C-alpha cells in the first residue's frame, strides 16, 4: 500500500493542525508497517526570518514517513509571505474585527473579500508549482492520495492526481470549513462551488466533526474522522503547585470569552472562598485576553504566558489544576470537541468548557459529564454560571485538602478518540475489504 499525504500542516511544523495527519500516519505505520507513506508539503523555513516554528515533539514522528517531499516556493511567493508577516497585525485586526462584531461594516467585508482573493491567487500559483514539482521525476504510483483542507491547493493537487490515475483512492479531508460563520454569502457560494467542482471525483470526503459545513453533492460519500490524542504523548498529571486554570490557544475576538473564568475566580476570591487562584493564558492573543478580563474588572486574576512551544504548553497543562476550553455555539457554527479538547483528554485533568453564543444545550453541555467536567453556556448564564463557580470551588477545596485534584470520567468514551483507533478507521477507508482479509 503506497500512500501520498498532501498537507501544508504536517510534522515538524508547530501548529495544532499539524497533529492530525502526522498522528494518523504514525499509527497506520505502527499497525501496518508494510504501508509506504509519502508526504507532499510546502518548503518549511524555520529560520528567524522564516516565520515558522519547529515542533520538536512532533518531529519525533517523522520516522513514519518513508519519503518527505517539499515543494520549493517561488521568489514571488516568498515576497508575498514576507509582506504578509510584516502586515500580520493589520490582517489580524481585520479578522478580529469580523469575529468580534456580529454586524461588520461594508468596509470590513470588502477588506475580507480582498484578503480571500489574494489568498486564492497565492494558492493557485502554489498549486501549479506543486504540479510542476511532481512532474519533475517523481514516481506517482500511489494506491491512495489523502489531501487535507486548508489550504485549498492540497485538494487541487489531489484532484489532478486522481484524474490522471482514476483507480487511485482519493480521500479529500476537511479539518476546517472552507467558509466560516463570519464569512460573506459570497464566501459560502465559493465554498459550495469549490467542494462540488474540485472534490467531485474524490472517493470519500472526510470531515472533522459531524456538523462541519460541506454542502456536498448528494452523490458524494461523506465520513466523519475526528481529531484525537496520541496516548504516547500523554504526560503523567502532576499535583498542582498553585491553583491555576489554564487555557492555551486562540480567542477569535470575543467569541471565546476567557473573561468569564476570570470573573468566577474574582468573585470566589472576593467572597473569601479561595485564595491565590489564577487564570493562565498561553497564546498569541494576550492583548485580547486582557480586554476580555477587563470587562469584568478581573484582569488582575489573569496571567499571560505568551506563545509557547507545544511541548511547553503541554507541561503547563500537566501542572494545571483545571484545564479551560473556550468556544462558541450558534446557528451557523455548532461547537463539538476540537483538537485542543483531545489534547486535554490525555492530560486526565478537570476541564471547564465555556461556551458563548445564542444556541443552548451545545454538544459540550451534553457530554462534559463523561469527561468529569463542567460546561458554562452564556445563553444559559443564570443556570450554568453557578455550576461553573461551584466546580472551581470544589476542585480548589480538594486541592487544599489533599494537594491534588481528581476526576471521574468514562475511560471507554475517552479511548475512542485515541489516534490509534482513528488511524484504523482511516485504514478501513483506504484498504479494500479483499485486501484486509488476506
Amino acid at each position: 500500500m503506497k500512500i501520498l499525504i498532501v498537507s501544508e500542516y504536517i510534522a515538524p511544523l508547530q501548529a495544532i493542525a499539524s497533529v492530525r495527519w502526522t498522528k494518523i500516519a504514525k499509527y497506520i505505520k505502527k499497525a501496518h508497517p508494510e504501508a509506504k507513506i509519502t508526504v507532499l508539503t510546502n518548503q518549511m523555513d524555520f529560520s528567524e526570518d522564516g516565520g515558522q516554528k519547529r515542533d520538536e515533539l512532533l518531529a519525533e514522528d517523522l520516522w513514519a514517513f518513508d519519503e518527505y517531499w517539499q515543494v520549493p516556493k517561488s521568489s514571488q511567493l516568498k515576497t508575498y509571505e514576507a509582506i504578509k508577516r510584516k502586515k500580520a497585525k493589520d490582517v489580524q485586526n481585520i479578522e478580529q474585527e469580523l469575529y468580534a462584531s456580529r454586524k461588520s461594516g461594508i468596509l470590513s467585508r470588502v477588506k475580507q473579500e480582498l484578503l480571500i482573493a489574494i489568498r486564492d491567487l497565492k494558492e493557485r500559483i502554489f498549486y501549479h508549482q506543486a504540479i510542476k514539482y511532481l512532474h519533475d521525476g517523481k514516481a506517482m504510483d500511489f494506491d491512495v492520495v489523502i489531501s487535507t483542507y486548508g489550504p485549498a491547493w492540497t485538494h487541487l493537487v489531489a484532484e489532478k492526481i486522481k484524474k490522471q490515475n482514476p483507480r487511485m483512492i482519493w480521500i479529500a479531508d476537511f479539518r476546517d470549513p472552507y467558509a466560516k460563520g463570519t464569512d460573506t454569502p459570497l464566501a459560502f457560494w465559493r465554498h459550495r462551488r469549490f467542494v462540488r467542482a474540485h472534490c467531485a471525483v474524490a472517493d470519500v470526503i472526510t470531515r472533522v466533526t459531524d456538523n462541519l459545513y460541506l454542502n456536498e453533492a448528494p452523490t458524494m460519500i461523506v465520513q466523519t474522522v475526528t481529531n484525537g490524542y496520541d496516548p504516547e504523548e500523554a504526560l503523567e498529571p502532576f499535583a498542582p503547585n498553585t491553583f491555576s486554570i489554564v487555557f492555551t490557544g486562540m480567542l477569535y475576538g470575543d467569541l471565546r470569552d476567557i473573561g468569564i473564568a476570570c470573573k468566577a475566580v474574582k468573585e470566589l476570591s472576593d467572597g473569601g472562598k479561595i485564595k491565590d487562584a489564577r487564570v493562565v493564558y498561553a497564546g498569541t492573543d494576550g492583548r485580547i485576553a486582557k480586554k476580555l478580563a477587563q470587562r469584568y474588572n478581573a484582569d488582575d486574576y489573569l496571567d499571560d504566558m505568551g506563545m509557547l512551544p507545544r511541548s511547553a504548553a503541554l507541561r503547563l497543562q500537566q501542572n494545571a489544576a483545571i484545564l479551560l476550553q473556550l468556544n462558541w455555539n450558534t446557528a451557523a457554527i455548532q461547537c463539538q470537541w476540537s483538537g485542543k479538547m483531545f489534547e486535554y483528554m490525555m492530560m486526565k485533568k478537570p476541564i471547564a468548557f465555556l461556551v458563548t453564543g445564542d444556541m443552548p444545550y451545545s454538544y459540550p453541555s451534553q457530554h462534559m459529564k463523561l469527561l468529569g467536567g463542567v460546561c458554562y453556556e452564556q445563553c444559559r448564564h443564570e443556570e450554568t454560571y453557578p455550576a461553573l463557580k461551584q466546580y472551581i470551588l470544589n476542585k480548589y477545596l480538594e486541592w487544599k485538602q489533599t494537594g491534588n485534584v481528581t476526576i471521574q470520567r468514562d475511560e471507554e468514551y475517552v479511548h475512542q478518540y485515541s489516534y490509534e483507533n482513528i488511524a484504523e478507521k482511516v485504514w478501513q477507508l483506504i484498504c479494500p475489504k479483499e485486501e484486509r482479509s488476506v
Side-chain angles (χ1 to χ4, degrees):
M1 176 72 70
K2 295 183 178 180
I3 303 169
L4 174 65
I5 298 175
V6 186
S7 177
E8 185 157 320
Y9 292 94
I10 200 83
L13 179 65
Q14 179 176 312
I16 193 66
S18 298
V19 175
R20 178 172 173 82
W21 284 100
T22 300
K23 298 302 183 182
I24 292 174
K26 169 185 173 179
Y27 281 99
I28 284 178
K29 193 72 171 181
K30 285 174 74 74
H32 309 281
E34 72 280 8
K36 303 300 181 185
I37 302 176
T38 299
V39 165
L40 176 69
T41 188
N42 55 352
Q43 195 170 56
M44 298 179 188
D45 184 354
F46 300 119
S47 67
E48 188 173 339
D49 297 330
Q52 294 177 310
K53 295 185 182 297
R54 180 180 171 90
D55 186 330
E56 296 299 340
L57 186 60
L58 209 57
E60 295 176 7
D61 297 327
L62 286 170
W63 65 266
F65 306 134
D66 295 276
E67 292 192 80
Y68 197 92
W69 298 344
Q70 296 187 70
V71 181
K73 295 176 184 176
S74 66
S75 57
Q76 293 92 337
L77 283 181
K78 288 180 180 179
T79 300
Y80 162 82
E81 291 185 349
I83 294 172
K84 184 179 177 182
R85 286 194 297 274
K86 189 174 182 179
K87 298 291 185 180
K89 183 168 284 189
D90 295 334
V91 173
Q92 185 183 48
N93 287 342
I94 293 171
E95 292 174 342
Q96 296 292 0
E97 179 184 350
L98 290 163
Y99 277 117
S101 174
R102 303 301 183 269
K103 295 181 180 179
S104 299
I106 293 176
L107 182 58
S108 293
R109 292 300 185 185
V110 170
K111 289 179 180 178
Q112 183 193 32
E113 288 298 331
L114 181 59
L115 289 175
I116 291 173
I118 294 172
R119 179 202 68 189
D120 288 350
L121 176 61
K122 182 213 79 168
E123 293 203 21
R124 290 284 177 174
I125 293 172
F126 191 77
Y127 156 70
H128 288 291
Q129 286 182 217
I131 294 299
K132 182 178 182 300
Y133 174 85
L134 292 174
H135 283 167
D136 289 344
K138 298 296 182 185
M140 298 303 293
D141 56 340
F142 295 100
D143 303 297
V144 178
V145 59
I146 299 168
S147 56
T148 181
Y149 178 87
W153 71 262
T154 59
H155 285 341
L156 297 176
V157 168
E159 177 194 22
K160 181 78 170 181
I161 295 172
K162 172 68 174 180
K163 286 182 175 179
Q164 292 177 345
N165 304 273
R167 297 183 65 182
M168 183 185 298
I169 294 172
W170 174 23
I171 294 181
D173 177 57
F174 283 87
R175 57 169 181 74
D176 274 331
Y178 190 88
K180 306 180 294 294
T182 53
D183 285 345
T184 64
L186 180 58
F188 280 89
W189 175 84
R190 277 196 305 269
H191 170 93
R192 181 179 185 275
R193 182 175 177 275
F194 179 85
V195 172
R196 297 194 178 198
H198 296 292
C199 299
V201 294
D203 295 272
V204 181
I205 295 179
T206 55
R207 58 189 176 188
V208 74
T209 62
D210 289 335
N211 63 0
L212 186 138
Y213 176 81
L214 284 177
N215 200 1
E216 72 280 2
T219 55
M220 291 179 172
I221 298 173
V222 178
Q223 296 279 343
T224 296
V225 177
T226 68
N227 283 323
Y229 66 92
D230 184 351
E232 292 185 355
E233 279 190 352
L235 301 174
E236 190 65 28
F238 285 168
N241 293 324
T242 60
F243 194 83
S244 58
I245 302 173
V246 171
F247 174 70
T248 60
M250 297 179 66
L251 294 176
Y252 299 101
D254 65 352
L255 288 177
R256 290 179 171 176
D257 190 359
I258 196 172
I260 291 292
C262 299
K263 169 183 166 67
V265 170
K266 178 181 186 298
E267 291 177 356
L268 288 168
S269 298
D270 289 348
K273 295 182 177 180
I274 66 176
K275 184 179 179 182
D276 297 329
R278 309 294 300 172
V279 176
V280 179
Y281 172 70
T284 58
D285 297 330
R287 177 179 56 84
I288 297 171
K290 184 172 182 179
K291 284 187 176 181
L292 291 168
Q294 286 173 338
R295 284 183 175 179
Y296 309 100
N297 296 316
D299 51 305
D300 287 344
Y301 295 88
L302 176 71
D303 292 337
D304 177 16
M305 304 295 292
M307 184 65 181
L308 298 176
R310 193 167 70 95
S311 56
L314 292 177
R315 288 194 297 272
L316 189 65
Q317 296 168 22
Q318 183 184 26
N319 287 277
I322 296 175
L323 297 175
L324 185 64
Q325 176 61 328
L326 313 169
N327 223 324
W328 63 94
N329 199 59
T330 65
I333 299 179
Q334 293 89 50
C335 66
Q336 294 191 14
W337 299 148
S338 65
K340 183 61 60 181
M341 272 298 290
F342 299 121
E343 192 172 86
Y344 283 0
M345 285 181 193
M346 72 180 182
M347 288 297 166
K348 299 181 181 179
K349 292 274 188 174
I351 304 172
F353 203 126
L354 313 188
V355 182
T356 58
D358 55 5
M359 287 286 288
Y361 305 106
S362 61
Y363 185 90
S365 76
Q366 299 175 48
H367 293 85
M368 279 305 296
K369 285 186 178 180
L370 294 169
L371 301 179
V374 67
C375 182
Y376 161 84
E377 290 188 324
Q378 183 184 60
C379 59
R380 294 193 296 141
H381 177 83
E382 297 300 324
E383 177 185 351
T384 59
Y385 184 65
L388 171 66
K389 287 178 63 176
Q390 188 62 49
Y391 187 81
I392 294 173
L393 178 58
N394 290 346
K395 293 304 170 187
Y396 177 83
L397 293 175
E398 180 186 18
W399 174 69
K400 291 294 287 185
Q401 292 167 5
T402 68
N404 206 347
V405 289
T406 61
I407 53 168
Q408 292 183 338
R409 65 183 192 174
D410 186 332
E411 293 297 339
E412 185 176 347
Y413 175 81
V414 173
H415 182 66
Q416 71 178 307
Y417 294 113
S418 162
Y419 268 118
E420 185 174 13
N421 290 336
I422 293 166
E424 192 59 29
K425 181 175 182 179
V426 172
W427 181 258
Q428 291 172 12
L429 289 177
I430 65 179
C431 189
K433 290 183 180 179
E434 58 270 19
E435 291 187 20
R436 278 184 260 149
S437 61
V438 173

